[in-house]
Amino acid sequence: MELFDDFPSMGRKDLVDLKKGIDFAFRDFSRDNGEAIEGFFDPLMYFMVWFEKLLMAAPWPIMILIFAILAWLGARSIGIVIGTIVSFLAIGYFGMWEDTMATVAIISVATFLCIGLGIPLGILMSRSNRVQATVTPVLDIMQTIPSFVYLIPVVMLLGIGKVPGLIAVCIYALPPIVRLTNLGIRLVDKEVLEAAESFGSNYRQKLFDVQIPLALPNIFAGVNQTIMMALAMVVIASMIGVKGLGVPVLRAVSNQYLALGLMNGLAIVALAVIFDRVSQEYGKRLQKHRQGGHGV
Amino acid sequence: MSDVKVSIKNLYKIFGPNGGAMVSKVENGATKTSLQAEHKHVLGLNNVNIDIPARRIQVIMGLSGSGKSTLIRHLNRLIEPTSGEILVDGEDVLAMSAEELRNFRRNRMSMVFQKFALLPHRTVIDNVGYGLKIKGVDKAEMNERSQKWIDRVGLAGFENNYPAQLSGGMQQRVGLARALATDAEILLMDEAFSALDPLIRNDMQDILLDLQEELHKTIIFITHDLDEALNIGDNIVILRDGAVIQQGSPQEIVLDPADDYVRDFIKDINRARVLDVSAVMEASSSDSGLEFASTVILEDAMPAMVKADVTHANVMRDGEVIGKVTLAAMIGAIARPESNDEEQVTYR
Ligand SMILES: Nc1ncnc2c1ncn2[C@@H]1O[C@H](COP(=O)(O)OP(=O)(O)O)[C@@H](O)[C@H]1O
Ligand SMILES: [Mg+2]
């Protein structure tokens, strides 16, 4: 009966040895390769430093003008443009301008990185059921594993700073764009694809004339979610040395500064709402022709 | 008969993981149902042999699931056969490399789809020019050639609209123009008009016949609607469970249905519009003074006889009398087959 009362676990000593073994192996690995890997990411780091400085150093009226123009180009809605301007004015007025610019910088870089990696990966997945079956569980893990867990090896390898922060953000924010690109391409109307084939399209022509354009609404929903998830990581990223709105939030948590936490939290929310509205409106406009109903 | 453009020989298609091994079972008498039940394979095409004449409209018809779409997709190899041969202008389509096949599709065979299959994000003119773009024709020439076909199908003024802004009939005109724009000699049409309202469908048939009078394409037209088949087909093939049940001219099919499946198809059609006087004439001559060319259909001939107050007339070809028709024979021929007692089936 002993078997049922006590789980037949590995002995305490063996377990400790196993954990130590893994820890030391990884420590050695990061000692040996950490520098090389850091070197690999150096260009990215220089770019991020430069970009962040650029956003912070630019005169605020110009930045607000740029945000307003981008909002207009994306959403074509006066309401959203006004909302954007008011939000950024308030952010500046409450002294959060620099942190906000730092956050905008890392979110932008993370989003572009995720798009650049995620769309090709999604296309690959849509091409083959086997790739899909392999990648899907990896994406599941990336989305569900607590972020703190993968922060450990990332920090061990790369230390604290912008690049590990960026990697942590991307691990969390990459899955939606991959999934929705894959889904969008798989959902492309079979007859339209057949039509492309029947006119003698090659692989590239099918991809760029038919599959990507028809999948674009879904791909765009993926971009939108990726941005949202990147923003959700701002606080956690600040734990490993990323500047931005997450830093004061962390400080507020450890010191019980209610107002500080609230204000910076609201600034993150404001960014989220702006990014979300603008990208959704843009996605809707992409689909405009597909619904018809006007004109004839 | 005119020369053969597309020749389909002993074509089998069996869907399933091991289709090749199933061919011999089908040859030895396995049916679609037994193949499905015993071997979990779907019989798509069963030993299809068709010679499709050049510059004519070849109709392929059959009920839903009879293999029409499967057959037409073999001609441009959107579907690979399990076994058999497909020759276009004597050239083996199945032997083509990927590159040759693309060129073949770009230049020699184009297709019109049931649900139009237009690109929703491109304007009408860009949709019409799609095949030309694939071929690498430059933008200016593409627009010029597309415009010509847009005008020809009656869509002038809609060049910059998006497909979703057009009605179904107009969208299919875009589909037709797109297929014509590549100047392919062979046009595949898979239930191209089936999704349209009856009135629009008739319009589209007229547009197609109009174009054909001038273009003389080899058109392979799929439909499940016999009226449509009779209206536009020069020849008709009838499919059931992937096998050819009967092939012939519309008149041959109406006068001499091969079996109950075909008889069922033709029972509701307007026979007076399909049959011409030569189909019901007897080898004799008439002194009524009324004459018909041999291709006059009964629907036109009968009122003319009533008007002239005669019961028989001569059938003429090249200025010669080739036979005589009687009103009685005509009425017998247009009666619906089931309503006939055996001794009344005189029209054969
Ligand atoms: N990819 C496929 N896999 C399995 N069965 C198929 C496939 N495509 C068609 N079939 C079957 O082949 C038969 C003929 O289909 P189809 O050619 O689409 O008929 P039709 O166009 O005459 O309605 C049907 O029984 C259909 O279920
Ligand atoms: Mg079909």
Side-chain angles (χ1 to χ4, degrees), chain B residues 72-285:
Chain B
I72 204 169
R73 278 166 178 68
H74 275 81
L75 300 181
N76 57 2
R77 265 176 75 187
L78 289 178
I79 298 180
E80 297 287 334
T82 305
S83 76
E85 261 184 278
I86 296 160
L87 306 175
V88 173
D89 294 322
E91 190 183 345
D92 187 354
V93 178
L94 301 176
M96 289 179 186
S97 67
E99 175 73 31
E100 287 168 331
L101 182 61
R102 272 200 297 277
N103 283 326
F104 173 77
R105 288 169 175 172
R106 285 174 185 182
N107 298 309
R108 291 169 61 194
M109 206 179 253
S110 57
M111 190 158 177
V112 185
F113 291 82
Q114 180 167 5
K115 283 180 260 140
F116 324 136
L118 303 175
L119 295 173
H121 60 293
R122 298 251 175 99
T123 58
V124 166
I125 193 160
D126 287 343
N127 265 290
V128 172
Y130 178 66
L132 298 173
K133 183 179 175 221
I134 299 293
K135 278 176 28 153
V137 173
D138 70 66
K139 185 82 184 165
E141 188 189 342
M142 183 179 117
N143 282 344
E144 190 189 316
R145 285 167 71 177
S146 306
Q147 188 64 53
K148 187 184 101 186
W149 289 108
I150 289 173
D151 296 343
R152 192 67 188 73
V153 299
L155 283 178
F158 292 97
E159 292 80 3
N160 296 318
N161 283 71
Y162 288 91
Q165 300 172 315
L166 306 180
S167 68
M170 292 164 93
Q171 289 190 41
Q172 195 56 304
R173 288 194 229 181
V174 177
L176 189 57
R178 173 175 71 175
L180 291 169
T182 64
D183 290 324
E185 286 182 351
I186 304 172
L187 203 56
L188 308 178
M189 303 182 73
D190 185 6
E191 305 222 27
F193 304 153
S194 298
L196 305 174
D197 298 335
L199 281 178
I200 311 285
R201 194 182 311 166
N202 283 339
D203 281 351
M204 292 299 291
Q205 291 167 7
D206 291 344
I207 290 174
L208 183 67
L209 290 174
D210 242 32
L211 286 165
Q212 175 65 351
E213 215 160 87
E214 177 186 321
L215 302 173
H216 304 291
K217 304 260 179 195
T218 302
I219 300 179
I220 295 146
F221 190 99
I222 286 191
T223 178
H224 60 252
D225 172 2
L226 186 69
D227 281 322
E228 184 165 73
L230 297 173
N231 186 17
I232 66 169
D234 294 311
N235 286 288
I236 299 179
V237 164
I238 297 181
L239 280 184
R240 180 181 60 199
D241 289 351
V244 174
I245 302 295
Q246 186 170 13
Q247 44 185 319
S249 68
Q251 298 209 47
E252 283 165 348
I253 294 198
V254 168
L255 280 178
D256 192 12
D259 65 6
D260 285 344
Y261 179 81
V262 182
R263 218 166 278 133
D264 219 40
F265 258 122
I266 61 171
K267 70 172 192 264
D268 289 327
I269 54 142
N270 181 355
R271 301 160 68 85
R273 194 169 287 173
V274 180
L275 301 177
D276 65 29
V277 289
S278 71
V280 295
M281 70 186 180
E282 52 195 79
S284 161
S285 68

Side-chain angles (χ1 to χ4, degrees), chain A residues 18 24 31 68 77 96-97 105 118-119 121 142-143 148-149 184 194 236 240 262-263 280 292 294:
Chain A
L18 177 70
F24 286 137
R31 259 190 209 136
S77 144
M96 298 180 290
W97 183 263
I119 291 181
L121 187 58
M142 286 164 71
Q143 276 186 306
F148 297 102
V149 175
E194 253 185 344
I236 290 175
I240 53 171
L262 218 52
M263 280 198 307
Q280 273 198 22
H294 48 89

Side-chain angles (χ1 to χ4, degrees), chain A residues 48-123:
Chain A
M48 286 179 67
V49 170
W50 172 80
F51 189 58
E52 195 184 274
K53 275 209 182 115
L54 182 75
L55 291 196
M56 292 209 244
W60 64 265
I62 292 189
M63 285 314 297
I64 291 189
L65 186 67
I66 291 175
F67 289 130
I69 290 172
L70 287 178
W72 172 252
L73 291 180
R76 296 284 156 87
S77 144
I78 289 292
I80 292 177
V81 172
I82 290 174
T84 306
I85 294 173
V86 170
S87 305
F88 278 104
L89 286 175
I91 283 171
Y93 187 70
F94 287 109
M96 298 180 290
W97 183 263
E98 298 223 326
D99 283 338
T100 303
M101 289 306 108
T103 295
V104 169
I106 189 166
I107 298 302
S108 314
V109 175
T111 303
F112 281 109
L113 204 63
C114 288
I115 291 175
L117 291 172
I119 291 181
L121 187 58
I123 291 170

Side-chain angles (χ1 to χ4, degrees), chain A residues 121 123-138 182 186:
Chain A
L121 187 58
I123 291 170
L124 269 181
M125 257 174 103
S126 72
R127 292 272 295 155
S128 136
N129 287 336
R130 193 175 299 168
V131 174
Q132 177 176 253
T134 324
V135 174
T136 303
V138 177
N182 173 42
R186 282 174 186 262

Side-chain angles (χ1 to χ4, degrees), chain A:
Chain A
M1 273 294 113
E2 213 173 289
L3 183 65
F4 291 98
D5 294 338
D6 276 320
F7 200 98
S9 64
M10 204 169 166
R12 173 182 281 279
K13 190 177 171 313
D14 289 347
L15 202 55
V16 169
D17 286 347
L18 177 70
K19 288 177 187 164
K20 264 194 190 150
I22 294 175
D23 286 353
F24 286 137
F26 193 76
R27 185 161 306 163
D28 291 344
F29 173 80
S30 50
R31 259 190 209 136
D32 295 345
N33 300 293
E35 235 158 80
I37 295 174
E38 259 176 70
F40 174 79
F41 285 115
D42 266 352
L44 189 61
M45 193 190 69
Y46 291 134
F47 174 75
M48 286 179 67
V49 170
W50 172 80
F51 189 58
E52 195 184 274
K53 275 209 182 115
L54 182 75
L55 291 196
M56 292 209 244
W60 64 265
I62 292 189
M63 285 314 297
I64 291 189
L65 186 67
I66 291 175
F67 289 130
I69 290 172
L70 287 178
W72 172 252
L73 291 180
R76 296 284 156 87
S77 144
I78 289 292
I80 292 177
V81 172
I82 290 174
T84 306
I85 294 173
V86 170
S87 305
F88 278 104
L89 286 175
I91 283 171
Y93 187 70
F94 287 109
M96 298 180 290
W97 183 263
E98 298 223 326
D99 283 338
T100 303
M101 289 306 108
T103 295
V104 169
I106 189 166
I107 298 302
S108 314
V109 175
T111 303
F112 281 109
L113 204 63
C114 288
I115 291 175
L117 291 172
I119 291 181
L121 187 58
I123 291 170
L124 269 181
M125 257 174 103
S126 72
R127 292 272 295 155
S128 136
N129 287 336
R130 193 175 299 168
V131 174
Q132 177 176 253
T134 324
V135 174
T136 303
V138 177
L139 296 179
D140 292 341
I141 293 172
M142 286 164 71
Q143 276 186 306
T144 49
I145 196 167
S147 330
F148 297 102
V149 175
Y150 56 76
L151 287 184
I152 302 165
V154 170
V155 171
M156 279 171 81
L157 262 185
L158 297 169
I160 277 184
K162 284 190 174 30
V163 168
L166 183 69
I167 291 174
V169 171
C170 283
I171 289 178
Y172 190 63
L174 183 67
I177 178 96
V178 180
R179 279 190 214 278
L180 282 157
T181 301
N182 173 42
L183 181 77
I185 291 182
R186 282 174 186 262
L187 288 182
V188 166
D189 184 345
K190 192 174 151 283
E191 219 188 30
V192 179
L193 207 57
E194 253 185 344
E197 205 143 323
S198 77
F199 282 97
S201 293
N202 57 29
Y203 172 65
R204 200 176 43 77
Q205 288 169 325
K206 260 191 305 193
L207 187 65
F208 290 107
D209 288 344
V210 180
Q211 291 174 304
I212 291 182
L214 267 64
L216 215 49
N218 271 315
I219 295 179
F220 217 77
V223 173
N224 173 286
Q225 289 201 13
T226 289
I227 299 175
M228 293 300 111
M229 301 192 65
L231 266 173
M233 280 292 283
V234 162
V235 176
I236 290 175
S238 68
M239 294 174 68
I240 53 171
V242 174
K243 281 193 215 155
L245 292 166
V247 179
V249 170
L250 267 186
R251 193 145 42 84
V253 171
S254 45
N255 298 318
Q256 301 179 2
Y257 295 153
L258 174 63
L260 180 72
L262 218 52
M263 280 198 307
N264 285 280
L266 285 176
I268 295 177
V269 171
L271 285 187
V273 172
I274 292 169
F275 279 129
D276 183 59
R277 286 306 118 83
V278 172
S279 64
Q280 273 198 22
E281 287 300 315
Y282 183 71
K284 266 190 218 149
R285 273 196 307 119
L286 281 180
Q287 287 201 70
K288 198 184 62 186
H289 325 304
R290 294 166 205 221
Q291 279 131 23
H294 48 89
V296 190

Side-chain angles (χ1 to χ4, degrees), chain B residues 285-307:
Chain B
S285 68
S286 152
D287 53 5
S288 69
L290 190 61
E291 294 178 344
F292 294 119
S294 63
T295 55
V296 173
I297 56 176
L298 300 191
E299 192 175 62
D300 295 333
M302 292 199 295
M305 285 169 82
V306 173
K307 197 168 168 215

